[in-house]
Amino acid sequence: MEIGSKLKKARLEKKLTQENVANLLNLSRSTISSWEVGRSYPDLDNLVAISDLYDVSLDILLREDAKMVKQLSLDTKQKKRFKLIISLLVIVIISTAGYLFMLEKSYQTGLEIPLNEIEISNIKLSSVSQNDADTGITLRATSENAFYRIEPDNFLAYVDDESIYLILNTIFDPLSIVAKKEISESNSFMAPDSFSNETKVYLIEDVKKGTIKLVGTIGTLTK
């Protein structure tokens, strides 16, 4: 016997009309009728409510009706899939909002990641002549830290006697998959006569109140 016939038989044994059942389950009478004639099936929640109302176990209602069992299994899987999709969407929205907030608040001039997580190469003067007020430096900087990237626009250069000090701009970016970012020319400065291939280039963390907080030597200058 299919579930529709079982539902009708159980209802009649309880001396209930389709209208009575519909009112008790907050459904329409046509829905109850559709179940009983096999045009549609109750979902799991309604099936449990019917089981309680008719005092009939789920095992009896579902027994010998493979189609109904398959439908219930499909409905359950769809509900789980829907809940999973909703949960993932919520996580993505929250993560994106948090990421954008951190990105907006985290940009600072100055080094934010350890020196050993930055690889710098190809340090060169951008001007051939000495005593040139438009002298700049170009270099290639690589961030090994997946949570920070180096801004590829401009960095700051300070000249002190025979040394050059650089400040890189870094930004917190946990979604960045970048491993290498080329840095463009630094701000212009006056190149002294003492610049040579042995000129030391240092990376500094910040300049505050006229003092330099040195991070480390990153190489020598190449003309």
Side-chain angles (χ1 to χ4, degrees), residues 104-164:
E104 179 183 0
K105 299 296 182 182
S106 62
Y107 182 83
Q108 297 179 26
T109 297
L111 194 65
E112 297 290 339
I113 55 181
L115 179 63
N116 60 6
E117 294 183 359
I118 296 179
E119 179 184 343
I120 296 179
S121 59
N122 301 330
I123 307 172
K124 297 179 180 180
L125 282 179
S126 61
S127 176
V128 177
S129 61
Q130 298 290 311
N131 291 317
D132 189 346
D134 291 327
T135 299
I137 297 175
T138 59
L139 54 81
R140 183 181 180 86
T142 301
S143 171
E144 303 296 338
N145 190 319
F147 295 99
Y148 284 88
R149 60 182 170 85
I150 300 171
E151 283 287 84
D153 296 331
N154 290 315
F155 58 92
L156 302 178
Y158 296 85
V159 179
D160 180 15
D161 297 329
E162 297 182 357
S163 299
I164 299 176

Side-chain angles (χ1 to χ4, degrees), residues 30-151:
S30 61
T31 298
I32 306 302
S33 175
S34 293
W35 291 346
E36 293 186 355
V37 298
R39 283 198 300 267
S40 62
Y41 293 110
D43 60 22
L44 186 58
D45 291 337
N46 283 321
L47 196 60
V48 171
I50 291 170
S51 171
D52 292 338
L53 179 62
Y54 293 166
D55 290 326
V56 179
S57 70
L58 288 174
D59 178 65
I60 292 175
L61 290 175
L62 296 176
R63 191 179 299 164
E64 300 175 0
D65 196 333
K67 188 176 180 181
M68 176 61 188
V69 172
K70 183 178 180 180
Q71 181 65 37
L72 282 175
S73 177
L74 181 61
D75 289 344
T76 301
K77 288 180 180 179
Q78 288 177 338
K79 284 183 178 180
K80 288 181 178 179
R81 189 178 296 113
F82 178 75
K83 289 180 179 178
L84 178 60
I85 291 173
I86 294 298
S87 299
L88 290 175
L89 284 175
V90 170
I91 292 173
V92 168
I93 291 171
I94 293 175
S95 299
T96 301
Y99 164 71
L100 292 175
F101 176 78
M102 290 296 295
L103 197 61
E104 179 183 0
K105 299 296 182 182
S106 62
Y107 182 83
Q108 297 179 26
T109 297
L111 194 65
E112 297 290 339
I113 55 181
L115 179 63
N116 60 6
E117 294 183 359
I118 296 179
E119 179 184 343
I120 296 179
S121 59
N122 301 330
I123 307 172
K124 297 179 180 180
L125 282 179
S126 61
S127 176
V128 177
S129 61
Q130 298 290 311
N131 291 317
D132 189 346
D134 291 327
T135 299
I137 297 175
T138 59
L139 54 81
R140 183 181 180 86
T142 301
S143 171
E144 303 296 338
N145 190 319
F147 295 99
Y148 284 88
R149 60 182 170 85
I150 300 171
E151 283 287 84

